[in-house]
Amino acid sequence: MPTSRHVIIEFVPLGNAVKVSAICEKTGREVSIVGDRNAGKAELEALAVRKLNYVMAKEEKKLPRKRGFEV
């Protein structure tokens, strides 16, 4: 389940905004969001983790393309 992963969270202030990155410790997959600097830290963190879970779940369901003929 994606929510059981260990995640590193990074906050980087950018003027009136803040960039929040969520990184999966196991896979190294990283996603980022940009939010209002005045928003709650927990809210921004939850949003970044939700995006990471979405992206990783989407990638897990992706099947490799087959090219040409199998031998």
Side-chain angles (χ1 to χ4, degrees):
M1 189 89 198
T3 55
S4 64
R5 294 188 174 105
H6 292 270
V7 178
I8 299 168
I9 303 294
E10 177 184 48
F11 291 86
V12 179
L14 303 168
N16 290 330
V18 61
K19 177 182 173 186
V20 184
S21 297
I23 305 128
C24 175
E25 288 183 341
K26 183 177 179 181
T27 64
R29 183 66 169 113
E30 179 178 348
V31 299
S32 297
I33 63 160
V34 176
D36 186 346
R37 192 172 187 169
N38 296 321
K41 186 176 179 180
E43 182 181 358
L44 293 170
E45 182 176 332
L47 184 59
V49 170
R50 194 174 335 145
K51 181 176 179 180
L52 177 64
N53 289 335
Y54 169 79
V55 169
M56 292 186 74
K58 189 174 177 180
E59 288 175 349
E60 288 173 3
K61 291 179 184 178
K62 195 176 210 181
L63 299 174
R65 282 187 168 180
K66 292 184 180 180
R67 294 188 176 183
F69 296 97
E70 290 186 27
V71 179

